[in-house]
Amino acid sequence: MRDNTQPTRERILQAAGKLFRRDGIRAISVDAIAEKAGVTKRTLYYHFRSKDDLIAAHLQARDEPNLALFKRWFDEADGDIAAKVAGIFRNLAQSARDAKWSGCGFLRTSVELVNLPGHPALIAARAHKKRVEDWLCTLFAEAGAGDDAMPLARRIMLLLDGSFAIVLLHRDPSYMETAADAAADAIRHGLTRSAASRSSDNPN
């Protein structure tokens, strides 16, 4: 007998994702998700104990693909590490020019669930953002940032998520391009400062 568990679960997640992106998580009922997925509520609850678990699973499913996309954009960009990180922002700006662009799902979910800090979806969102931050930190450490690697990664995260918010508010992707320039400047300054510090510590 063929096991259809995984395809059914994926179908539910895909349906939920489309509805969540279009209308938000609070506005969408379990009935609507089941109908969109072509399953019964009983089947949906077989795969997900609650709507809260489904929301969290939706974000968890986006974690690896989103980070992989950032890594691909970084690898494809030309230039030094600053230009390559800026390339992530510029690709995001291009994505934001699509009329269907709806910003960062992790941040949108955090806004809707702001009064529920222990919600499993917020735990998933925080885990994703921390993974991106840790990846940036590793890049900067390998580039010679030393102890400044994590503070620099946090500065880039602030620019990244800040630009997500302001572009969604104004519907103007050029803010993302401005953030790209700011990120590149911050990285070059940070690496130069770290190099100077190492040089002063080792005059010979």
Side-chain angles (χ1 to χ4, degrees):
M1 174 184 273
R2 188 174 66 178
D3 181 6
N4 288 322
T5 300
Q6 189 62 29
T8 301
R9 187 178 191 277
E10 290 305 312
R11 193 163 70 249
I12 294 169
L13 280 172
Q14 289 176 9
K18 290 178 181 178
L19 294 173
F20 291 156
R21 284 191 293 273
R22 188 190 71 188
D23 298 327
I25 59 173
R26 290 190 180 276
I28 297 300
S29 67
V30 170
D31 289 304
I33 296 168
E35 181 180 356
K36 180 77 170 177
V39 301
T40 64
K41 282 179 65 175
R42 181 176 181 179
T43 297
L44 187 149
Y45 281 123
Y46 172 79
H47 293 278
F48 304 96
R49 291 178 299 175
S50 66
K51 181 183 175 183
D52 288 343
D53 285 340
L54 175 54
I55 298 168
H58 159 65
L59 293 185
Q60 289 164 353
R62 297 306 312 151
D63 172 44
E64 186 58 39
N66 280 24
L67 181 54
L69 183 60
F70 282 6
K71 289 180 178 180
R72 178 165 67 82
W73 285 340
F74 176 86
D75 290 338
E76 290 175 349
D78 295 326
D80 61 6
I81 187 173
K84 292 170 83 66
V85 171
I88 297 172
F89 287 80
R90 299 192 196 287
N91 275 284
L92 285 170
Q94 187 61 34
S95 297
R97 289 187 168 86
D98 189 319
K100 295 181 179 179
W101 187 80
S102 56
C104 174
F106 297 94
L107 295 179
R108 290 199 320 274
T109 299
S110 70
V111 171
E112 290 202 62
L113 300 175
V114 66
N115 293 323
L116 300 169
H119 194 287
L122 289 188
I123 294 173
R126 287 195 291 269
H128 170 72
K129 294 297 183 180
K130 191 65 174 66
R131 284 194 70 201
V132 176
E133 182 181 289
D134 287 345
W135 170 62
L136 290 170
C137 180
T138 298
L139 290 177
F140 300 146
E142 291 173 348
D147 292 340
D148 290 331
M150 181 53 75
L152 184 54
R154 289 190 169 194
R155 291 187 197 106
I156 303 309
M157 287 300 296
L158 288 169
L159 286 167
L160 182 64
D161 286 339
S163 61
F164 267 124
I166 203 71
V167 171
L168 190 60
L169 178 64
H170 290 296
R171 291 292 173 179
D172 182 354
S174 69
Y175 281 98
M176 200 79 77
E177 294 165 340
T178 299
D181 294 335
D185 288 345
I187 293 167
R188 291 189 180 111
H189 176 74
L191 293 178
T192 299
R193 184 176 62 185
S194 295
S197 177
R198 289 195 303 274
S199 178
S200 64
D201 290 340
N202 299 283
N204 296 322

